[in-house]
Amino acid sequence: FRLGALSVVKHDYLPRAVALHPRFELVCVADDANRPGWTHERNQQFADEFGVPYVKDVARAIEQFGLEAAAVSPEAERHCDLAVRAAEANLHIVVDKPLSTSLGECDRLIEAIDRSGVSCLVWNRNLLPALIQAREAIESGQIVKVEAVHCDFYFSKDAGPRLGSRSPGDPPINWLDRQLEAHADGSDGGVGEVAMGELQVEGIYPLAYIQMLTGGARVRRVFARTAAHFHQAHADNDVDDLASATLEIEGGIVGSLCIGRIGAAAHPDIGEIKLHLIGTEGAMVVSEARPEVAIYYRDQPPLEFKHRRVGDENNYLLVENFARSIDGSEKPILDARDARDICATVLAALESARGGRPADVANLQLP
């Protein structure tokens, strides 16, 4: 499939994973001409690495290069807009997370996908080895009818100055400036003009786990608490870096979630990411990072992860799933409708946290 990377200004792992898969050929990078200079710099750097043209005109690139698929990874607030334009041009789409912070934008994309009949995969971590094994345990009957699920999703990356470090009279930290600074160490998950907390930036990962392991059951109601507990940038921009949520899920399932960006000093690995599942028969604890090895040595750089994942083919398997969904032999493991449900859950959690009371998950899914 002839692939175009439509903006490579967030993390480049998504377009890189698609471009390296043998069933896709990256033929160009494209973005809108009116984007700020830093976006063009990142796009050009990626294009130069792969030896393909960078075109500052998305519509012209789609036509000129005969694209069949698009890898969409701009600022989060532009995900749906670029994906809609790709769908309207009949391109199959793989889009970075979160899908959006707006249900209206999610709906606009779903409608465009339905009209064109293209496939859409939203990036996720559901094909990590531990999650594959957990799903197989449920499907094989080792765990019968999941009744309760809890996920810890503590991400051990820094996000700039610690809370309380700003001196009196200092201006608040500008969100985009902080994200641009963070790009060097990969902690810029919320890059864009719009500030986003951890529920919005990373919440799709644990909520997708819960969605998959409960057989696609949807969250009906949420009670949540949020805080800016660790990082000054989050406090200055009124977004969360720590949150908890209790979930009422279809079929009488009870769920809960704790999520946070807890800082690099808090954990030797990428973070404490673990699921607990209880069924009518059987129970399971799933460590997302396993299998892993721990490596310690003299003069080890302080920011180097000491625990390293092995056997992780998540990115390759996601792209393989995307290719097979284009063939029509598989459904995307997380499509735009699934991601819309997750967006609705996150928005309900934020509403609950603001109001201090449970919130219904609105408009669960388009017909």
Side-chain angles (χ1 to χ4, degrees), residues 199-218:
L199 270 172
Q200 290 185 309
V201 174
E202 306 291 350
I204 190 170
Y205 288 146
L207 288 169
Y209 298 161
I210 293 170
Q211 186 185 72
M212 178 179 72
L213 297 177
T214 58
R218 302 187 190 102

Side-chain angles (χ1 to χ4, degrees), residues 117-288:
V118 297
S119 181
C120 178
L121 171 72
V122 181
W123 206 251
N124 61 87
R125 296 152 73 109
N126 285 1
L127 294 175
L128 287 169
L131 273 298
I132 293 173
Q133 187 177 10
R135 186 176 62 178
E136 289 173 347
I138 293 169
E139 291 174 347
S140 68
Q142 291 177 274
I143 306 293
V144 179
K145 192 182 184 301
V146 174
E147 291 189 316
V149 56
H150 171 77
C151 184
D152 289 316
F153 201 91
Y154 295 114
F155 208 37
S156 61
K157 284 192 175 182
D158 287 324
R162 60 181 174 79
L163 185 66
S165 60
R166 182 156 61 87
S167 300
D170 287 350
I173 295 173
N174 178 277
W175 184 261
L176 179 57
D177 288 348
R178 164 58 205 156
Q179 295 302 310
L180 296 180
E181 177 190 25
H183 188 65
D185 65 10
S187 61
D188 58 335
V191 66
E193 296 282 352
V194 179
M196 296 187 300
E198 287 304 290
L199 270 172
Q200 290 185 309
V201 174
E202 306 291 350
I204 190 170
Y205 288 146
L207 288 169
Y209 298 161
I210 293 170
Q211 186 185 72
M212 178 179 72
L213 297 177
T214 58
R218 302 187 190 102
V219 179
R220 294 294 188 184
R221 200 160 70 127
V222 184
F223 178 73
R225 294 291 195 189
T226 61
H229 183 75
F230 296 99
H231 306 297
Q232 190 66 48
H234 289 73
D236 287 354
N237 289 274
D238 195 28
V239 293
D240 60 276
D241 60 20
L242 184 67
S244 66
T246 303
L247 314 170
E248 295 180 10
I249 305 174
E250 284 179 332
I253 301 169
V254 177
S256 54
L257 165 68
C258 294
I259 187 169
R261 184 168 291 249
I262 60 177
H267 198 277
D269 199 351
I270 198 170
E272 184 66 12
I273 305 177
K274 189 172 291 185
L275 288 109
H276 303 255
L277 297 101
I278 299 173
T280 55
E281 295 181 31
M284 176 182 290
V285 178
V286 183
S287 179
E288 188 221 56

